[in-house]
Amino acid sequence: MKKIECLSPFVRLKGKTYPCTVSLTMDLVGGKWKAVILYHLKDGSKRYSELHREMPSVTEMTLSLQLKQLEKDGLVKRKVYGKKPPIRVEYSLTELGESFVPILEAITEWGNQVVVNYGSFVES
Amino acid sequence: MKKIECLSPFVRLKGKTYPCTVSLTMDLVGGKWKAVILYHLKDGSKRYSELHREMPSVTEMTLSLQLKQLEKDGLVKRKVYGKKPPIRVEYSLTELGESFVPILEAITEWGNQVVVNYGSFVES
DNA sequence: CGGTATCCCCGGGGATACTG
DNA sequence: CAGTATCCCCGGGGATACCG
């Protein structure tokens, strides 16, 4: 039984310093939308408009911004097809992004359990 | 092989509505410090000052605030010993908090790997 | 010892309109 | 189609000082 612990203090990544790796992870995938975006990409690449349709609660502005950050941090890759509008852009997970999928699923299930036990579902 | 998916739109918890359970989870344990605090509580209860000593990067103000939110959301419990200063306060995980520990460890290890592959460790 | 009170700042995120 | 530009607001989080 291996002990899981933060290889701590401190760690650096892309010019930023964190007090531990939990903190680093939360910076990469935290925030209001990043994990949700990764969740929607976990089953394959999707176009910008598809993502937006599946997450109508996010504004286009914010969606675009978060995708850029995920791309910069190496979790998501962006592929452009065509040069004149209408162009087509596909987003998908990188290898690093893929490696986060198991955690994403654990997060999903945990959230599901929380709702089952303490919350409620809303009818569409 | 079970498919893991958000029991989505929409879910409610304590008066808030979320577009999916990933979003809900990130609201409960996201932010800059909550997951880090849970990490430090995973091996047993700790006093306020102990927590602060282990996370000197967090201000007392913020630590106290985040602990309150975690308590309100049912992830952490607070026990007070004594009534006259110096009093003693112990924080520990609730059952719900405990159920999040496996994810916390996954997050820790993922972060460790990211640093090993793309980042660097800082000498103390 | 275990916090609060107060003040402040930054930036994540939203709304709306527009564009190559 | 896939975004930007612009403007704005709120609140998470920090700094400093103080308190029961």
Side-chain angles (χ1 to χ4, degrees):
Chain A
M1 183 62 165
K2 173 149 149 283
K3 181 116 186 268
I4 311 284
E5 49 181 32
C6 260
L7 303 173
S8 65
F10 292 87
V11 292
R12 303 199 105 250
L13 184 68
K14 296 175 192 264
K16 285 180 171 178
T17 306
Y18 303 90
C20 67
T21 56
V22 170
S23 160
L24 178 146
T25 303
M26 295 314 289
D27 191 36
L28 291 189
V29 306
K32 197 163 171 184
W33 296 116
K34 283 189 195 164
V36 181
I37 294 173
L38 295 176
Y39 173 83
H40 283 281
L41 289 176
K42 83 188 173 73
D43 293 318
S45 75
K46 290 209 175 117
R47 304 179 58 169
Y48 180 80
S49 49
E50 266 178 291
L51 281 173
H52 188 42
R53 207 175 318 121
E54 295 181 3
M55 301 187 273
S57 324
V58 203
T59 63
E60 295 195 336
M61 173 82 229
T62 300
L63 177 56
S64 162
L65 212 69
Q66 301 304 314
L67 280 166
K68 250 181 223 162
Q69 294 190 26
L70 287 168
E71 192 188 357
K72 174 173 70 65
D73 287 332
L75 287 151
V76 158
K77 54 177 180 276
R78 180 176 182 272
K79 258 192 123 174
V80 185
Y81 300 92
K83 45 216 62 164
K84 286 288 175 190
I87 57 176
R88 178 174 149 201
V89 180
E90 301 247 349
Y91 290 94
S92 56
L93 298 184
T94 60
E95 196 175 333
L96 180 61
E98 292 288 355
S99 73
F100 192 71
V101 169
I103 296 180
L104 221 37
E105 302 196 317
I107 284 176
T108 307
E109 290 219 305
W110 188 82
N112 286 344
Q113 280 311 307
V114 172
V115 176
V116 167
N117 293 324
Y118 308 98
S120 65
F121 297 96
V122 178
E123 307 301 315
S124 60
Chain B
M1 182 58 164
K2 174 149 148 285
K3 182 115 186 271
I4 312 283
E5 47 182 33
C6 259
L7 303 174
S8 63
F10 291 86
V11 292
R12 303 198 105 250
L13 184 68
K14 296 175 191 263
K16 285 182 170 177
T17 307
Y18 305 90
C20 66
T21 56
V22 170
S23 161
L24 178 146
T25 303
M26 295 314 290
D27 191 37
L28 292 189
V29 305
K32 197 164 173 184
W33 296 115
K34 283 188 196 166
V36 181
I37 294 173
L38 294 177
Y39 173 83
H40 283 281
L41 289 177
K42 84 185 172 76
D43 294 319
S45 75
K46 292 209 172 116
R47 303 179 60 167
Y48 179 82
S49 49
E50 264 178 293
L51 281 173
H52 187 44
R53 207 174 318 121
E54 294 180 5
M55 303 186 273
S57 322
V58 204
T59 63
E60 295 196 336
M61 172 82 229
T62 299
L63 177 57
S64 161
L65 213 67
Q66 302 303 315
L67 280 168
K68 251 183 224 164
Q69 295 188 27
L70 288 169
E71 192 188 356
K72 174 173 70 65
D73 288 332
L75 287 150
V76 158
K77 54 178 181 277
R78 179 176 184 272
K79 258 192 124 177
V80 184
Y81 300 90
K83 47 215 60 166
K84 286 288 173 190
I87 58 176
R88 176 175 151 200
V89 179
E90 301 248 346
Y91 290 95
S92 56
L93 299 183
T94 60
E95 196 175 334
L96 180 61
E98 292 287 354
S99 73
F100 192 72
V101 169
I103 297 181
L104 222 38
E105 302 195 316
I107 284 175
T108 308
E109 290 218 305
W110 188 83
N112 286 345
Q113 280 312 305
V114 172
V115 175
V116 167
N117 293 323
Y118 309 99
S120 64
F121 297 95
V122 177
E123 308 302 315
S124 60

